[in-house]
Amino acid sequence: MKLFETTLATLSAGLIATSSLAAPTDILFILDGSGSMWGQIDGEAKISTAKSTLTQLMDDVPTQARVGLMTYGTTSKESCTDVQVLNALGTDRTAIKASISGITPLGKTPIQTALMQGITMLSGAEPADIQKSLVLVSDGIETCDGDPCTIAGLAKSSGVNMNIHVVGFDVDAETRAQLECIAENGGGQYFDAADTSGFQSAMQEAVILAQATVEPEPAPEPVPEGPVITEFFRDDFDGEDISDSWILTNPDPESYVVEDGALLMLSTSPNPFTEENGTNLITYTGDMPDGDWDAKVTFTGELTASGNVLHFGLWKDTDNFMASSFYANKAGSCWSTSASLTKTSKGEKEEVSRIYRAHVPSLGNCYTKLPKGPEDWSTILGDHETLPTTLTLSKRGRSYTASLEMEGVTLEDGTPFKVITDQFTALRAPGELTFGMGRYGNNATGEMLLLVDSVVINAVEE
C-alpha cells in the first residue's frame, strides 16, 4: 500500500508540473467495466487499481481540461450495447469521482460501440477548435464481433483535432495487437501496463499526452509562380587563373588575366566564333543540366570598338554554333547596344537582334522601349564601365533565345528592363558552352576591354 501511495504521489507531481503548459482540452475516459477486470494483479483486482488511479487523476488533471467518463459492460453479462456515458464533458470532478467509485465490472467488451459513441461526443463538443483526446483503458479484446481498429480511424476524419490513446492493462499478445492498432489508427499512442506501478505510469503518460497541443498539419508548400530555377554551376573567377572547368582554344596569355575575382579580357580581333584560329575561346568542360536551362555571363567593360563584343553560346566550330552576343554598335545614325542570337549550321547563318539602349531611338529600326528616350552615347558607354550587364542564352525544349539586362536600368514602374530575342530551334545541341570576345568584321577599329564577373548555369523546371 505504501508503494501504491508513493506512486500516486509521483503521478500527481508529474501532472502538476505539466499543468502550466496545458491548453484547453477535452479528455474523455473510457474505463473497461467488463468481467475480466476482476482479475488480480499484485494481489489487487485490476478494477480497484484502475478506479484508484483514475480517481487520483481527477484531482491532478489541469483545470483547463474538460473531463468526461464512459464505461462498458457494467449492467449486463450478455449485452453488446452496454455502453454508458456516466459523465458528460465538463462535469464537476467530484461527480466524476463518485461515478468511478460506483463502477462494478460485469459483462462483455464492446469496444467498437464505445469508440463510436466517444468519437461522436468529442467531435460534437463545442468549442471545436481545441484538442480532443479519448483515453481508452482495457484489459481485453473486443468481444462483440466489432472492428474497433477500423472505427478508430474515424477520429482523424472527424473534423476536429482528435486522437485516441490506449492503456492496455495486463493483456495478452492478441489483445495488445488490437489495442495498438486502435491507438495507431486513432492518431494516438499505446501504453502497455503489466502491473500496478506500470498501470499508474501509463495512465500518467496518457493524460500528459492528451493535454499536449496537437500540431496542425503543415500548410502545403505554395506552388511557385513561374519556373523553378536551381543553380547548377557557377564560376566567379576567384582563383589566379582560369579554373579546370574551362579549356582555352588558341590561348593568347597577353590578352586575358584572372585577378581580383574577375576575368579581364582584351581584344582587337574579330569574332572568334566565326574566324579561323580565333583566340581565347573559353569552353566549359562540365555537363549541362538535363532539360531546360539558362546560361548567364555578367560583365562590365570599356567599349571603344564598334560591333559585337561578347559572344556566349554553344559552339562546335566556325560553321556550327548557336550564340548570343552583346553589341555596342556605333554605325550611321543608330548608335545602340543590343543583344543578338545567331544560328549557324553548316555555314548557313541566321541572326535576330533586339536594341537595348539607343542614342537616337526614333530612326527606323533603331528602337528601344526604355521610356527615357534618346540617350547620350557617352552616358551609355560610361554605364557599361560600372553597371554589371548580363547576357543570357536560354534553352527551352529545342528552342533558344538570347536576352540582355543591365543592373539599375528599369522601366517606369521600377521593373528591370530586359530585352529578349526571337527564338531559333536546334534538334541537337549545336556545341559546347563557350565564350569569347571580338569585333564585328575585320574593318572595325578600336579595342575592347571586358571584365567578366561570373558565369552561371541554372537548371530551369517549368
Side-chain angles (χ1 to χ4, degrees), residues 16 92 103 112 157 180 246 254 292 324 335 340 358 386 426 462:
I16 291 172
D92 179 78
I103 293 175
Q112 172 180 295
S157 59
E180 286 178 339
W246 309 94
E254 299 301 318
D292 296 342
S324 60
W335 302 358
S340 72
T386 58
E462 297 292 342

Side-chain angles (χ1 to χ4, degrees), residues 30 33 41 69 213 295 340-341 346 357 380 397 409:
I30 301 180
I41 294 290
L69 177 66
T213 301
S340 72
L341 179 67
K346 298 179 182 179
R357 297 175 70 176
I380 296 174
V409 178

